[in-house]
Amino acid sequence: MRAIASEARKLLSVRLWWILLIILVAYVGFTAALLAGLFGALGDQLASSPGAPQLPVETLPPIVYSTATAVGYVFPLILGALAVTSEFRYQTLTPTFLAQPRRGVVLAAKGLVLALAGAVFGIAGLAASVGLGAPLLALTGNATGLDDPDTWLLLARAVLAMALWALIGVGLGTLIPNQVGSIVVVLAFTQFVEPILRFGASIWDWTAEVGKFLPGAASDALVGSSIFTSSGTGTTAVQSLEWWQGGLVLLGYGAIVTVAGLATTWRRDVT
Amino acid sequence: MVSGGTTIEFRGITKTFGAVRAVDDLTFSVQPGQVTGFLGPNGAGKTTTLRMLLGLVRPTSGSATFGGVAYAQLPDPLRTVGTALEASSFHPGRSARNHLRVYAAAAGLPSSRVEFVLGVVGLLPYADRRVGGYSLGMRQRLGLASALLGDPAVLVLDEPTNGLDPEGIRWMRGFLRDRAAEGRTVLVSSHVLSEVQQSVDRVVIISRGRAVYEGDLDGLEASATVRADSAERARLASAIALTGAAVTTTDAGVIATGITTEEVGRLALDAGIALTLLTEERAGLEDVFLELVGGEAA
């Protein structure tokens, strides 16, 4: 309990968390509003032109709302990674381990606090995507889906996904304690490497079978919707994972990087 | 007064980094009620030794304990041992008050302790400023405040006078003496003997990872140098040399170690040599220290 209270104070006493939160809300809100406005207004025209990618009307609200995770997942990931790398960078591991010499306890507390913070990021991101997306959908004469319990389940799964991404961030920070290195890896992988891999993987059936286990794909499977899975690249017959499988795959990624970090950098001498 | 008192014990503690033996088979103990100076030039292995004591660095062999208990096994480490290592272990974006609250929370200490220690080190007026804007002296005080958080029976301070102005150094001296007088165990490292000279009861001097002296300062001073001169400088030098003391003849007189001024005076009287100069070298302590640690620049 003490370790958890300490980690929570650490997180809340530095400006980083609310700066990331503001950017997340602005970025997700903008994307959700753009999608809702664009597809909401163009929906009729798209339906009447046979060559255009088709979006069934009932998938529009989930796509708009899930922008909170589809474009927002990188924020809890960075928050989690920085929570660990800043301890290495500013040598605060020394006072941290002096106050709690059982290092595993420190990392467990950090993981728990960051998972909670990730969930809060998820709620904030959804507030932005639903808060801007739903009125715009209604305004353009579309269903908002807010009367459908499935929509609310999707929102709950999105919160869980954001918590898991923060956890993966903690593990990643432990594995790559260099702050700049960690951020570069996060941004390069999430913004560049994985989108290309997912796109490439979707070309053949056998690569799609592998590609659905990529972290971003697993996250989209957990949430149940994403602008990426719905944007017409699905030329193969391979189904994405079930939502619970996606969740387990994400958790697995978190566990692998955390255990790897715990066994290497976290055990090292603190000099 | 602190009841009981905790003795720090190093038993054959050794740390090798690759082929380098940074700390080589150190054995000594630090008693409660005293200020013990842990001296040696930079790179002698002081910080590594302290970090092994605190469970931050794993010893290659040997052990370091507080009354027989390793740091990691202490039930309530911050309430037993207060530590201030280098003055850089702060997140620059966090205020001093929040920094202390983070670790008070980890040790289950009330925030009233945070306010108390901020007052002790005189940081209350600046407590809500981000540490990134602190001077080195203020960081030293914040480090000391962290060490005092748990009202510990043992204080381990690494170079606490670094970056302090003369007034701060004087304040630190009084502070260390007072803690020891309360029955606490105080271990202070420094690479400058003169900075701790007036506050320590005992010293442990290490060089290249090995202990070269352990005892009180008087013991060190016994081997301080004596400077004497006479019109018959050569006779004086050979007379002193006969006692077995080490003698160097210079243009400024005869310099001898291993002999007191009183002994030189008596010897000159007996030999009928008229002395023109007889003095104990006040810099002797520092010279002895430098000689012990192998003449490396302090």
Side-chain angles (χ1 to χ4, degrees):
Chain A
M1 276 319 291
R2 289 172 178 184
I4 295 168
S6 179
E7 291 302 327
R9 275 199 181 282
K10 263 182 212 169
L11 184 68
L12 296 177
S13 60
V14 181
R15 289 172 294 184
L16 178 74
W17 71 272
W18 59 259
I19 292 175
L20 281 179
L21 192 68
I22 288 172
I23 303 173
L24 164 79
V25 167
Y27 185 33
V28 166
F30 173 76
T31 313
L34 194 71
L35 283 176
L38 204 65
F39 284 99
L42 298 180
D44 294 340
Q45 286 165 264
L46 287 176
S48 56
S49 51
Q54 298 298 309
L55 282 174
V57 176
E58 66 274 14
T59 65
L60 196 50
I63 288 173
V64 170
Y65 302 156
S66 67
T67 50
T69 50
V71 303
Y73 75 100
V74 69
F75 293 91
L77 186 58
I78 285 181
L79 185 73
L82 288 182
V84 178
T85 57
S86 70
E87 296 247 26
F88 282 95
R89 173 157 183 204
Y90 300 117
Q91 298 169 16
T92 46
L93 274 186
T94 293
T96 296
F97 289 159
L98 286 174
Q100 177 51 273
R102 284 171 299 166
R103 301 183 180 186
V105 171
V106 173
L107 195 57
K110 210 179 262 299
L112 191 78
V113 167
L114 265 297
L116 279 174
V120 170
F121 270 39
I123 291 167
L126 290 170
S129 67
V130 177
L132 284 171
L136 275 170
L137 285 174
L139 211 65
T140 52
N142 288 276
T144 60
L146 291 178
D147 49 356
D148 186 348
D150 283 351
T151 303
W152 291 94
L153 281 175
L154 175 134
L155 300 185
R157 292 197 302 270
V159 171
L160 176 63
M162 295 290 264
L164 288 172
W165 276 113
L167 215 52
I168 293 175
V170 170
L172 198 72
T174 319
L175 192 60
I176 311 171
N178 182 289
Q179 186 142 311
V180 175
S182 221
I183 294 175
V184 167
V185 166
V186 164
L187 291 181
F189 188 80
T190 61
Q191 308 304 306
F192 187 65
V193 176
E194 190 178 25
I196 288 177
L197 282 178
R198 284 179 74 181
F199 180 77
S202 67
I203 297 172
W204 301 286
D205 278 1
W206 68 271
T207 51
E209 284 292 346
V210 181
K212 68 185 181 184
F213 288 100
L214 285 167
S219 174
D220 290 342
L222 165 60
V223 175
S225 174
S226 157
I227 181 66
F228 297 115
T229 49
S230 310
S231 55
T233 53
T235 53
T236 66
V238 174
Q239 292 289 308
S240 66
L241 298 169
E242 292 292 321
W243 73 265
W244 57 270
Q245 291 173 322
L248 286 178
V249 169
L250 266 195
L251 190 63
Y253 278 112
I256 289 168
V257 285
T258 306
V259 168
L262 198 56
T264 53
T265 64
W266 206 247
R267 292 182 59 215
R268 266 186 214 154
D269 288 346
V270 181
T271 52
Chain B
M1 289 295 283
V2 175
S3 61
T6 307
T7 304
I8 305 174
E9 305 212 31
F10 295 89
R11 291 261 170 278
I13 202 156
T14 301
K15 180 70 181 182
T16 57
F17 294 109
V20 182
R21 288 179 90 79
V23 178
D24 193 356
D25 196 23
L26 275 186
T27 298
F28 65 96
S29 59
V30 181
Q31 302 300 328
Q34 294 185 329
V35 180
T36 301
F38 186 42
L39 304 171
N42 289 327
K46 298 187 301 290
T47 301
T48 303
T49 304
L50 296 183
R51 285 184 173 268
M52 286 194 282
L53 171 66
L54 300 163
L56 295 168
V57 167
R58 201 167 302 146
T60 307
S61 62
S63 68
T65 60
F66 297 88
V69 184
Y71 189 88
Q73 263 67 56
L74 291 171
D76 240 335
L78 288 198
R79 289 175 198 257
T80 312
V81 184
T83 308
L85 297 179
E86 310 98 282
S88 57
S89 294
F90 310 107
H91 192 299
R94 195 174 279 136
S95 72
R97 180 173 274 127
N98 277 327
H99 172 82
L100 293 171
R101 280 186 176 168
V102 162
Y103 301 104
L109 296 162
S111 37
S112 59
R113 278 301 297 176
V114 171
E115 302 307 310
F116 178 77
V117 297
L118 279 170
V120 170
V121 300
L123 279 182
L124 268 179
Y126 321 101
D128 287 321
R129 244 192 242 175
R130 283 198 294 275
V131 179
Y134 271 29
S135 68
L136 183 55
M138 287 164 88
R139 285 165 193 243
Q140 285 284 17
R141 284 166 185 266
L142 180 55
L144 198 60
S146 326
L148 297 173
L149 260 183
D151 194 21
V154 181
L155 282 174
V156 177
L157 311 174
D158 196 10
E159 304 270 0
T161 48
N162 244 3
L164 291 186
D165 50 21
E167 190 199 349
I169 291 176
R170 195 179 329 127
W171 179 85
M172 180 68 73
R173 270 180 204 144
F175 174 84
L176 296 175
R177 295 238 54 94
D178 291 348
R179 298 313 111 177
E182 288 167 354
R184 292 176 217 264
T185 312
V186 183
L187 180 60
V188 184
S189 83
S190 180
H191 65 282
V192 189
L193 175 65
S194 56
E195 280 192 358
V196 294
Q197 194 173 335
Q198 287 161 40
S199 51
V200 299
D201 302 291
R202 276 179 89 253
V203 289
V204 175
I205 300 176
I206 69 167
S207 173
R208 297 192 186 89
R210 289 171 164 278
V212 290
Y213 179 82
E214 185 187 350
D216 53 20
L217 281 176
D218 293 343
L220 262 187
E221 224 146 9
S223 54
T225 57
V226 171
R227 184 186 294 270
D229 207 1
S230 162
E232 304 171 85
R233 188 180 288 160
R235 261 191 75 206
L236 177 65
S238 52
I240 295 172
L242 279 175
T243 66
V247 181
T248 320
T249 309
T250 70
D251 287 344
V254 178
I255 295 164
T257 52
I259 192 165
T260 65
T261 47
E262 192 192 349
E263 287 164 342
V264 173
R266 180 155 301 281
L267 175 150
L269 180 65
D270 292 349
I273 303 171
L275 291 177
T276 55
L277 172 78
L278 178 61
T279 179
E280 190 178 63
E281 289 288 276
R282 292 315 300 167
L285 207 54
E286 197 72 39
D287 287 345
V288 173
F289 171 64
L290 288 178
E291 198 176 309
L292 278 172
V293 299
E296 290 168 55

